[in-house]
Each structure stands twice: as C-alpha cells, then as structure tokens.
Amino acid sequence: MLNALHELLAEIYDLEVSYDIDEFLVTDASVAAALDVNGRRVEEKLLIAEGAGHAEVSLYLERGLVDRLEAHDPSDRLDARNLADFWTAFEGVSHFAYYAWNAEIGKAVRLLEMELQAEVDKFIGTRMLLERQGERPPPSLHAWLFDLPRYDEQLSSRELTRYRHANRYAAKYCMKLAPALDRRTERDSVERELRQFYRLTQPEKIKHIDSR
C-alpha cells in the first residue's frame, strides 16, 4: 500500500525511486518512542538521525492506521472510510520521499519546506487518485484541507507557527493551480509547474507562491 503511494508521488514529480519504502517503515510505538525520546505521540512521524555524511531514516506509522489502510486501500478506492487515514499516511510518505530525494542530490531541506510540500502533495495526490478511480474531486476539497486545520495542542509556539505558515502557503499555491487542474488542456503545463516547484528551495518556493 505504501509503495503505491510512493509511486504516485514519483509519477507526479518525475522522481527515480531506487528503494522500497516498506523497508523504512516502523509501526511499533515503543520503537518510535525509543528513536524519538520526548517526541510527541502521533500517528505519523519521520524519524531522522543525521551524522557526518550520512543519515538514518525511518517512517513511523501507527499500526492501527496501517491496518485500516490495508483493509480499505485508498489506491483501490478513496472514500469517506479512508480519506482521513490516507491524508495522515500520505503526509508521512511525502516527508520521506522529499527528504530522501533531496538527500540523494545533496540538497539540505528545512522543516517548513517539508511541511509545505506535504500539504501540496495531499491536495494533488487526492485529486489524482479520485480521477483515476473515475470520480470527480469534490469542490470542497481545498476547504477540507486548508480552511479547517486542527493542530495538536502539544505543539510548541514555534512548531505551531511553522504548521500555520505551511498551511497558508500551500493553500495559496493550490488555489491558484485548481482552475488549470480542472481543464484537461492545461494538464501538461500543470505537470511542468509541479515538477519545477518540487525542486525549488524553501525561499524559492515561498517567493514563487507570493509572485503568482
């Protein structure tokens, strides 16, 4: 299931995938807690331990979340039963893919940059899956993702600011993309835009959004 989501991102952004994301998956909460001492208890988190010239990376997804998605695979059918779980897991896959791809080309990434890209990925990925399944993306999709965010009360003020900025910038970017996404004649230009955006640095992404 995770590999299918990873492959979806690879297709959207024209990424080469040379590894199996399942090999990096952790579903045991006690293992995640040992790897992230004093970290927040959440259903999804990317665990990174960076050293001199290398990094150890794991993607934690809570066991129940994985079980539910395996029972109702969003790659087969995305609907009300699995939408929230899909967004949680897809955010983790997005973080993992973005960090790994940038690491392979020797590009450092910032936390805001990863959160911003993940918010964009959820919007684009949801639309693509629904269209592949013969469904029209609901007009309220943008509002569902960006207008009513719920933030963990355990977030520090700094973390909360980062999440709010990611939400605001992603909402602005996706709102401007939406009309072109609805017009099939502009799909090639949207594809080029998304792939170029993916490869920008954090300052470049923000500047690009503010200039649109």
Side-chain angles (χ1 to χ4, degrees):
M1 178 270 297
L2 289 184
N3 277 315
L5 301 184
H6 197 195
E7 289 168 4
L8 176 63
L9 284 175
E11 179 182 343
I12 294 171
Y13 298 113
D14 191 26
L15 310 175
E16 290 189 12
V17 176
S18 56
Y19 43 82
D20 184 340
I21 193 172
D22 284 334
E23 295 180 359
F24 299 85
L25 179 64
V26 171
T27 59
D28 188 324
S30 62
V31 173
L35 293 172
D36 186 29
V37 178
N38 298 324
R40 290 184 298 118
R41 298 193 65 176
V42 293
E43 289 185 304
E44 167 273 322
K45 67 171 68 176
L46 186 64
L47 303 165
I48 304 170
E50 294 183 330
H54 74 280
E56 296 179 2
V57 182
S58 298
L59 172 61
Y60 170 69
L61 295 177
E62 190 266 331
R63 180 73 259 175
L65 170 69
V66 174
D67 289 343
R68 293 193 299 272
L69 287 174
E70 288 178 345
H72 302 289
D73 191 339
S75 299
D76 296 329
R77 182 171 179 78
L78 183 61
D79 56 26
R81 295 176 303 173
N82 57 13
L83 182 60
D85 285 339
F86 163 71
W87 281 341
T88 299
F90 201 52
E91 181 167 349
V93 174
S94 168
H95 290 330
F96 177 88
Y98 193 70
Y99 182 86
W101 184 82
N102 280 284
E104 286 187 349
I105 64 172
K107 174 177 169 283
V109 297
R110 303 180 187 180
L111 293 175
L112 173 57
E113 180 181 345
M114 291 178 66
E115 296 298 342
L116 167 56
Q117 187 63 55
E119 293 302 304
V120 173
D121 290 350
K122 286 189 287 186
F123 181 77
I124 299 298
T126 302
R127 289 187 59 108
M128 283 195 65
L129 274 185
L130 288 173
E131 289 172 358
R132 287 182 177 183
Q133 294 165 12
E135 303 289 342
R136 281 185 64 87
S140 53
L141 175 60
H142 189 277
W144 290 349
L145 276 170
F146 301 116
D147 290 354
L148 300 171
R150 291 184 296 176
Y151 299 109
D152 191 333
E153 294 181 356
Q154 300 176 64
L155 289 172
S156 67
S157 59
R158 185 174 182 179
E159 290 171 324
L160 182 58
T161 297
R162 182 171 68 244
Y163 280 103
R164 284 175 170 166
H165 283 171
N167 175 274
R168 178 168 61 86
Y169 282 117
K172 183 177 180 181
Y173 183 65
C174 292
M175 179 63 76
K176 292 184 177 181
L177 282 180
L181 285 167
D182 290 333
R183 294 190 288 269
R184 294 190 178 276
T185 56
E186 296 188 37
R187 289 302 176 89
D188 288 346
S189 63
V190 172
E191 181 181 90
R192 289 193 297 273
E193 163 64 29
L194 287 170
R195 291 175 177 180
Q196 290 169 1
F197 182 80
Y198 195 86
R199 288 157 172 80
L200 298 178
T201 63
Q202 177 177 302
E204 290 171 338
K205 287 180 190 290
I206 292 173
K207 182 178 179 181
H208 183 67
I209 293 169
D210 284 338
S211 69
R212 290 174 63 85

